[in-house]
Amino acid sequence: MARSQHPEIILASGSSARAQVLARAALPFTQRVSDIDEPALVASQNRELTPVEIPELLAQAKGRAVATEVAQEITSPTLILAADSVFEFNSSVYGKPHEPEIAIERWRAQQGQSGTLHTGHWLGLLHPEKPGALKQQVVTDSAEVEFAAVDEQTILDYVATGEPLGCAGGFTLEARGASLIQSVQGDPNTVLGLSLRVVRESLQAWGYRLSDWWD
């Protein structure tokens, strides 16, 4: 069976972890980062969003912003892929800690415990001959993360590396933080910030297969 012509892929994210997920799956792509004020966007909703609504809102905003930017530039069908993640712990929602003191406090609370990482995905399909038409899908996937019971010095050492400061929930699964994770129930790529299963199933709904992109 002949392979269908596949769209170009633009990852609407500056995340190296999401880029690595696509690269490991042999999916060629380019990256384009949107300029979205995430806290302001969430606050503008004038209500308390659920842990699932937040990453969906932010993923849609990032993806649509990039789609608008490239709509007049593309010369072939183009897939825009955006994602955002939040961590839910003890019924509270946590994004990136940014500050070491915040990361330390979070790790003191979550070590030996578990929480849920929610990743919202937005996929948009653009065609150059129809610049105003945009097919889109929004899907959120969640994974349960159990943390190892670690001592205070390990927490301090981990935060001192700077690794968790820019990650939702203050941890990573692909680097030093992997040694502090006891188990993951669900798609590990969801914890990394981009579920390939979600991408595959969403593309299938549009008549594409992930293998269409493989050399």
Side-chain angles (χ1 to χ4, degrees):
M1 179 182 296
R3 292 184 176 181
S4 58
Q5 182 179 7
H6 58 76
E8 302 293 326
I9 298 176
I10 297 178
L11 176 62
S13 170
S15 166
S16 60
R18 293 188 179 103
Q20 289 168 13
V21 169
L22 291 180
R24 285 194 294 267
L27 297 176
F29 66 96
T30 57
Q31 279 182 278
R32 188 140 175 175
V33 182
S34 60
D35 185 18
I36 298 295
D37 187 335
E38 298 181 18
L41 179 59
V42 172
S44 71
Q45 304 307 298
N46 296 317
R47 66 180 179 87
E48 185 174 353
L49 301 179
T50 68
V52 169
E53 288 176 325
I54 293 172
E56 286 185 350
L57 173 70
L58 296 176
Q60 289 182 71
K62 294 175 182 179
R64 288 172 179 167
V66 169
T68 299
E69 291 175 2
V70 304
Q72 302 302 322
E73 303 174 5
I74 61 173
T75 58
S76 61
T78 300
L79 174 72
I80 312 296
L81 178 57
D84 196 87
S85 302
V86 300
F87 183 62
E88 181 182 6
F89 179 71
N90 285 344
S91 300
S92 295
V93 174
Y94 297 101
K96 303 170 184 176
H98 295 298
E99 300 296 332
E101 295 77 12
I102 296 175
I104 290 170
E105 287 305 313
R106 290 186 188 177
W107 264 98
R108 285 171 176 164
Q110 67 196 29
Q111 61 89 21
Q113 305 296 318
S114 63
T116 305
L117 198 293
H118 304 283
T119 294
H121 304 73
W122 183 91
L123 294 91
L125 188 60
L126 287 168
H127 290 273
E129 66 274 16
K130 300 177 182 178
L134 174 66
K135 287 185 177 181
Q136 53 189 313
Q137 298 183 53
V138 180
V139 182
T140 294
D141 194 60
S142 303
E144 191 79 7
V145 180
E146 181 183 359
F147 299 99
V150 295
D151 57 33
E152 178 74 5
Q153 190 59 53
T154 298
I155 292 173
L156 297 177
D157 290 345
Y158 180 50
V159 173
T161 68
E163 180 181 290
L165 303 186
C167 304
F171 67 94
T172 64
L173 192 61
E174 71 274 18
R176 301 176 184 88
S179 65
L180 310 182
I181 305 301
Q182 192 72 18
S183 65
V184 173
Q185 300 297 320
D187 185 349
N189 284 322
T190 292
V191 181
L192 294 174
L194 185 66
S195 169
L196 288 172
R197 176 185 57 77
V198 167
V199 174
R200 174 177 54 79
E201 292 175 351
S202 297
L203 287 173
Q204 282 179 342
W206 285 336
Y208 298 106
R209 303 182 303 270
L210 280 186
S211 57
D212 293 337
W213 279 265
W214 296 345
D215 292 333

